[in-house]
Amino acid sequence: MGNLPASIKDCLSAGLDIEWIATGDHLSLGQQNNVSPALPEFVKIVEVGPRDGLQNEKVLVPTEVKIKFINLLSETGLTVIEATSFVSSKWVPQLADHTEVMQGIKKCPPVSYPVLTPNLHGFQAAIDAGAKEVAIFGAASESFSRRNTNCSIEESMQRFEEVIRAAKKASIPVRGYVSCAIGCPYEGTIAPTKVAEVARRMYNMGCYEISLGDTTGIGTPGDMKEMLQVVMKEIPKSALAVHCHDTYGQALANVYVALQMGINVVDCSVAGLGGCPYADGTSGNVSTEDVVYMLTGLGIHTGVELSKLMEAGHFICEALNRKTNSKVAQACYKP
Amino acid sequence: MAALSTALKWPRLPSVAAAVFQRALASTTSAAVAQSLPEHVKIVEVGPRDGLQNEKVIVPADVKIQLINLLSEAGLAVVEATSFVSPKWVPQMADQQQVMQGIQRYPNVSYPVLTPNLKGFETALKAGAREVAIFGAASEMFSERNINCSIDESLQRFEEVMKAAKDANVPVRGYVSCVLGCPYEGNVSPIKVAEMGICTVDSSVAGLGGCPYAAGASGNVATEDVVYMLNGLGIRTGVDLQKLMEAGAFICKALKRKTNSKVAQASCKL
């Protein structure tokens, strides 16, 4: 076995099968070894910074800054950028300029710019402003649904039916979110069967994809696996996405476990914008830069150019007068 | 289980974390086995050495001693206490003897210290050390720049330490740095590293110790975040997360810095 260290020789003589895939002058574990299941070859990143990120930032950002931010993101190779939310400005003042933002951004094919539409009124306004894809936001927790969207899960489903009916007529694809997929700030742990039930209803209504969100970030990899196992009994994995929060530092590990289970759509927010509204001063969304860094290291294609992504992150952090939450940006970014 | 969850005080999420912990503990063995993960992981706490070594603010000996005592009370089985390296190189560790002699030695807790060479080893032994560690690298350039000698030369120094340690019945832990990448050489070939069935994890309370190769970046993974994950996976560590966070809060106050641990940020009031 030549120059291999003794420890590797021991493993090989014990019959342990180590598969190495040579790429260039260094070896990577590739996609197959006898320890972890195959990972997807490609992962679609859904960038939620301009909506979910900004929505949870205290500093209000002017319209032209939001527009420039989204335009910078369009140049990174991202194919889905959630642009804004057509929700009442009374609830979310940060996104009061939803119409101007939607009309002001440069639409770069093949990028999609979905927007949140909580009800029919919001949907109409979104279509009038030029939206070509929308998203609806449900919850697996009754308390969270009531406190966050002012209605029960059942009532929210009725609103979604109206939106989906109108969307179908207008040939507009609809993405569904299920928040509190692991834990709820009010109810605690959420049963995976409840998550599956809500997700299934939204999927059967006509959502093309369901994003499962660990809203409080409390999930650890075992919780993520268990929840996905149950949900995947109801919904094909190709129609699922994960939306992990990094409030407890578990996001990348949770994303990795989801990849191992065959999920290949990941929501993240550039610079990790959007703190956790349920725990002051803590982080929320996982940083797109950190996710892309991990996926690239794993040999998984995303189409995203990390350096351009970091520029977009740097731009918005300056505008928000805050430091980035991305570890990769902290380590690498040099203006 | 109930005692643990009531011992956890989560100011903002009173029911959530406790419920998750309870669920994790209830399914410890089956969860860990089902996922082919170890049932138990030994945490090696490197905050007082690797963490503090990379912090700019120099903390006095009594603060270091208090930190180590708090960590001992948190249930950690290994707390790397200090480094018997020349204070010229690492001023933060200049009070190595005072710290070693001042800490409270809890039974079942080991307090290894770094000993780069025979001289350091002898001083460590005189100061009461019962376990030592030697620090090598998988990168030639890193070895030269970090410890001023080639890999081969460092291995010779280690041989001397090993011989003396064997004579004195002192266990020796080895570190191999740059296992995935080197700040000078870039990617490191994984053939130099073997990784099978790992059930020991090094981490630093509060994620102390920035990265000396990237200003402003973080370095060590935070012990609180690792323990949180392992607890959630049903893997035993023996560590009391609440007490660990207290130790982290203490040292961050002394260093006048915010914690790098996400769990601590989410759970503690400053």
Side-chain angles (χ1 to χ4, degrees):
Chain A
M1 290 183 214
N3 270 343
L4 290 176
S7 47
I8 296 267
K9 286 184 195 172
D10 286 346
C11 292
L12 291 173
S13 14
L16 290 168
D17 196 9
I18 310 172
E19 282 188 45
W20 304 97
I21 298 166
T23 45
D25 62 355
H26 75 273
L27 303 183
S28 57
L29 274 172
Q31 292 189 359
Q32 300 283 354
N33 61 37
N34 65 344
V35 174
S36 39
L39 299 173
E41 281 184 19
F42 173 79
V43 161
K44 178 176 83 174
I45 302 277
V46 173
E47 172 60 47
V48 300
R51 198 276 307 165
D52 192 12
L54 288 184
Q55 178 170 317
N56 287 305
E57 292 286 333
K58 292 199 175 71
V59 171
L60 289 178
V61 161
T63 308
E64 61 268 20
V65 170
K66 290 189 182 93
I67 289 170
K68 172 142 196 221
F69 177 41
I70 294 168
N71 289 346
L72 282 171
L73 290 168
S74 294
E75 288 167 30
T76 61
L78 286 159
T79 55
V80 186
I81 301 168
E82 202 174 62
T84 186
S85 180
F86 282 80
V87 70
S88 159
S89 51
K90 202 176 57 186
W91 292 108
V92 187
Q94 176 78 277
L95 303 178
D97 54 5
H98 35 67
T99 303
E100 292 91 332
V101 168
M102 208 55 207
Q103 288 171 339
I105 56 175
K106 199 166 39 151
K107 308 267 181 85
C108 308
V111 186
S112 173
Y113 302 90
V115 299
L116 239 68
T117 53
N119 49 39
L120 195 55
H121 175 74
F123 176 80
Q124 294 294 6
I127 298 302
D128 290 341
K132 300 264 179 352
E133 181 179 331
V134 300
I136 53 182
F137 206 92
S141 150
E142 195 62 54
S143 317
F144 188 86
S145 186
R146 287 184 189 274
R147 299 235 209 157
N148 211 49
T149 55
N150 248 341
C151 63
S152 67
I153 294 181
E154 199 52 50
E155 285 165 339
S156 73
M157 292 293 150
Q158 287 166 22
R159 291 183 195 177
F160 298 155
E161 295 255 2
E162 294 176 351
V163 172
I164 290 183
R165 211 174 301 140
K168 274 187 184 149
K169 276 210 192 99
S171 280
I172 300 276
V174 181
R175 186 184 208 234
Y177 282 94
V178 178
S179 54
C180 298
I182 297 180
C184 165
Y186 315 108
E187 289 185 19
T189 334
I190 297 292
T193 44
K194 186 71 188 172
V195 180
E197 182 198 315
V198 174
R200 188 195 62 235
R201 281 184 76 174
M202 293 174 78
Y203 181 68
N204 288 343
M205 263 189 231
C207 291
Y208 75 90
E209 189 171 271
I210 305 289
S211 168
L212 304 163
D214 179 13
T215 305
T216 51
I218 57 155
T220 49
D223 302 318
M224 173 61 74
K225 187 170 178 182
E226 193 189 329
M227 184 271 292
L228 286 174
Q229 272 170 344
V230 173
V231 174
M232 276 160 58
K233 288 191 184 132
E234 313 279 347
I235 300 175
K237 59 185 167 197
S238 55
L240 290 173
V242 290
H243 185 112
C244 299
H245 277 192
D246 204 32
T247 317
Y248 290 83
Q250 308 299 305
L252 285 180
N254 290 340
V255 167
Y256 186 74
V257 152
L259 297 176
Q260 286 183 313
M261 302 202 47
I263 304 296
N264 63 358
V265 183
V266 177
D267 297 0
C268 30
S269 178
V270 70
L273 292 187
C276 176
Y278 311 103
D280 265 334
T282 64
S283 63
N285 291 307
V286 67
S287 305
T288 311
E289 299 94 315
D290 299 1
V291 172
V292 168
Y293 182 89
M294 179 177 80
L295 296 176
T296 306
L298 286 165
I300 296 172
H301 300 294
T302 60
V304 177
E305 215 181 299
L306 190 50
S307 55
K308 290 200 170 153
L309 190 62
M310 288 198 286
E311 275 169 34
H314 178 75
F315 168 79
I316 196 64
C317 286
E318 282 215 326
L320 287 165
N321 206 16
R322 61 158 285 179
K323 286 191 176 140
T324 179
N325 255 345
S326 155
K327 293 275 173 113
V328 171
Q330 281 168 33
C332 305
Y333 182 76
K334 282 165 185 40
Chain B
M1 216 191 303
L4 177 66
S5 64
T6 48
L8 294 167
K9 291 181 186 61
W10 302 84
R12 284 175 191 79
L13 301 175
S15 58
V16 177
V20 172
F21 276 92
Q22 279 196 343
R23 212 155 54 93
L25 285 169
S27 54
T28 292
T29 309
S30 56
V33 166
Q35 297 171 73
S36 313
L37 298 171
E39 279 184 25
H40 174 264
V41 161
K42 177 176 83 176
I43 302 277
V44 173
E45 173 57 49
V46 301
R49 198 278 306 167
D50 192 12
L52 287 182
Q53 179 171 313
N54 288 305
E55 291 287 332
K56 291 199 175 71
V57 171
I58 307 273
V59 293
D62 50 294
V63 168
K64 291 186 177 98
I65 288 166
Q66 165 102 322
L67 169 65
I68 293 167
N69 290 344
L70 284 169
L71 291 168
S72 297
E73 285 167 31
L76 290 155
V78 185
V79 179
E80 201 176 58
T82 187
S83 180
F84 283 81
V85 70
S86 161
K88 202 175 56 181
W89 292 108
V90 189
Q92 177 79 274
M93 302 281 128
D95 53 9
Q96 57 208 207
Q97 292 185 60
Q98 206 182 334
V99 168
M100 208 58 206
Q101 287 164 343
I103 56 175
Q104 210 181 342
R105 304 285 185 104
Y106 281 65
N108 303 326
V109 186
S110 175
Y111 302 91
V113 298
L114 240 67
T115 53
N117 49 40
L118 194 57
K119 175 157 177 283
F121 175 79
E122 278 158 4
T123 317
L125 225 58
K126 280 202 198 95
R130 297 211 200 88
E131 180 178 333
V132 301
I134 52 182
F135 205 93
S139 147
E140 197 61 60
M141 252 185 159
F142 187 86
S143 189
E144 299 271 3
R145 302 246 194 139
N146 209 47
I147 53 178
N148 249 340
C149 62
S150 68
I151 295 181
D152 272 342
E153 283 165 338
S154 74
L155 292 172
Q156 280 168 30
R157 289 182 197 177
F158 298 154
E159 292 265 24
E160 295 176 351
V161 174
M162 293 291 324
K163 222 174 285 160
K166 268 189 187 140
D167 282 340
N169 255 338
V170 171
V172 183
R173 184 183 211 237
Y175 281 94
V176 181
S177 55
C178 297
V179 299
L180 293 175
C182 167
Y184 315 107
E185 286 187 16
N187 281 331
V188 170
S189 165
I191 258 189
K192 296 189 192 213
V193 182
E195 232 184 71
M196 304 291 279
I198 305 302
C199 54
T200 301
V201 174
D202 297 0
S203 48
S204 179
V205 68
L208 292 186
C211 176
Y213 311 104
S218 63
N220 291 308
V221 67
T223 309
E224 298 92 318
D225 299 0
V226 173
V227 168
Y228 182 90
M229 181 180 79
L230 296 176
N231 282 348
L233 286 166
I235 295 171
R236 289 191 311 274
T237 61
V239 178
D240 181 333
L241 188 50
Q242 180 65 23
K243 289 193 171 162
L244 186 65
M245 288 199 290
E246 278 168 30
F250 166 77
I251 194 61
C252 286
K253 198 161 164 203
L255 287 166
K256 292 192 180 50
R257 61 159 286 180
K258 286 191 178 146
T259 179
N260 254 345
S261 154
K262 292 274 173 117
V263 172
Q265 282 168 33
S267 317
C268 292
K269 283 187 167 75
L270 286 167

